Amino acid sequence: QQQVKQSPQSLIVQKGGISIINCAYENTAFDYFPWYQQFPGKGPALLIAIRPDVSEKKEGRFTISFNKSAKQFSLHIMDSQPGDSATYFCAASTASKLTFGTGTRLQVTL
Amino acid sequence: SAVISQKPSRDICQRGTSLTIQCQVDSQVTMMFWYRQQPGQSLTLIATANQGSEATYESGFVIDKFPISRPNLTFSTLTVSNMSPEDSSIYLCSVGTGLNQPQHFGDGTRLSIL
């Protein structure tokens, strides 16, 4: 099965707080897990990505946690800022074909 | 990362007509893909554009409806044929440099069919 499940559908976080978005997958053939950020009227922009041989990857305020046995991965945005307000998509790839989650609309309030 | 340009950025078309969307990359890339994103929804892979050969289509998408060309390593087109209102979507081109390497997206073509 190619489905990637993403939650929550929407998220409101205060400025300075931590935003957490979760994804789960079924297909064990997936071997690359990127996260994309999309602003209205724009295409998705690659934020950070991880491979299944790594349990955590951090780039600036963005961290991916990966649990291979549970087939779950999550995005943590530390010190969330109003400029982070966007839609976030997790994705999973096999043979370079990306399967996207359903998206999370993040709003960071002042 | 590569700069990806899509044309047109948006269009409004009549039912039954066809529209060709162009994707131009500023450097040679190994892989090019076409996705569809319905309003407020996630992205779905339509096909992989193969240079010099027929595109590889995903389940639910057929060549007669979405013919794709890729004449070289920097350019591809997607045609949406015999359009109906259900084809109203954002169509996005993405490029990658190799197997399971990062994919980068253009800003998409916003298509509305009346």
Side-chain angles (χ1 to χ4, degrees):
Chain A
Q1 187 176 1
Q2 296 293 317
Q3 191 177 9
V4 177
K5 297 181 179 179
Q6 183 172 346
S7 64
Q9 186 175 357
S10 64
L11 182 60
I12 300 175
V13 174
Q14 281 196 325
K15 179 182 175 181
I18 302 173
S19 303
I20 302 173
I21 304 170
N22 300 299
C23 286
Y25 63 98
E26 291 294 328
N27 186 356
T28 54
F30 288 138
D31 54 7
Y32 178 70
F33 300 86
W35 285 87
Y36 286 86
Q37 178 189 57
Q38 187 175 31
F39 292 104
K42 295 293 186 181
L46 180 66
L47 201 56
I48 187 172
I50 199 167
R51 300 186 192 280
D53 54 347
V54 176
S55 61
E56 185 174 283
K57 183 175 182 180
K58 183 176 181 180
E59 290 184 2
R61 296 186 294 110
F62 301 93
T63 300
I64 300 178
S65 297
F66 188 85
N67 186 329
K68 187 174 181 178
S69 61
K71 291 186 282 187
Q72 295 175 348
F73 58 110
S74 60
L75 175 69
H76 291 62
I77 306 174
M78 312 300 287
D79 187 26
S80 299
Q81 299 296 313
D84 297 330
S85 297
T87 300
Y88 292 80
F89 292 97
C90 65
S93 173
T94 179
S96 290
K97 294 183 182 181
L98 287 172
T99 300
F100 281 84
T102 49
T104 297
R105 187 168 295 183
L106 171 65
Q107 182 182 353
V108 181
T109 62
L110 292 172
Chain B
S1 61
V3 176
I4 304 160
S5 301
Q6 277 190 241
K7 290 181 181 179
S9 58
R10 60 178 66 242
D11 207 340
I12 301 172
C13 300
Q14 295 295 320
R15 186 192 302 248
T17 63
S18 298
L19 178 74
T20 295
I21 302 166
Q22 298 180 0
C23 178
Q24 178 75 55
V25 192
D26 69 343
S27 59
Q28 293 187 345
V29 292
T30 307
M31 315 185 92
M32 296 182 79
F33 304 89
W34 288 98
Y35 289 81
R36 182 173 71 183
Q37 184 177 26
Q38 294 178 310
Q41 303 296 316
S42 186
L43 290 83
T44 301
L45 178 63
I46 296 172
T48 303
N50 300 309
Q51 193 227 342
S53 64
E54 193 172 287
T56 305
Y57 290 85
E58 297 302 304
S59 176
F61 298 96
V62 296
I63 187 171
D64 290 347
K65 178 67 177 178
F66 298 102
I68 289 170
S69 78
R70 189 180 173 191
N72 56 51
L73 293 176
T74 64
F75 185 78
S76 178
T77 67
L78 167 75
T79 299
V80 186
S81 303
N82 187 25
M83 289 183 285
S84 66
E86 292 72 35
D87 295 320
S88 296
S89 278
I90 303 169
Y91 293 86
L92 296 132
C93 167
S94 78
V95 304
T97 54
L99 197 65
N100 283 342
Q101 292 299 310
Q103 280 188 35
H104 300 282
F105 286 80
D107 282 337
T109 296
R110 281 146 188 80
L111 182 57
S112 298
I113 292 88
L114 302 178

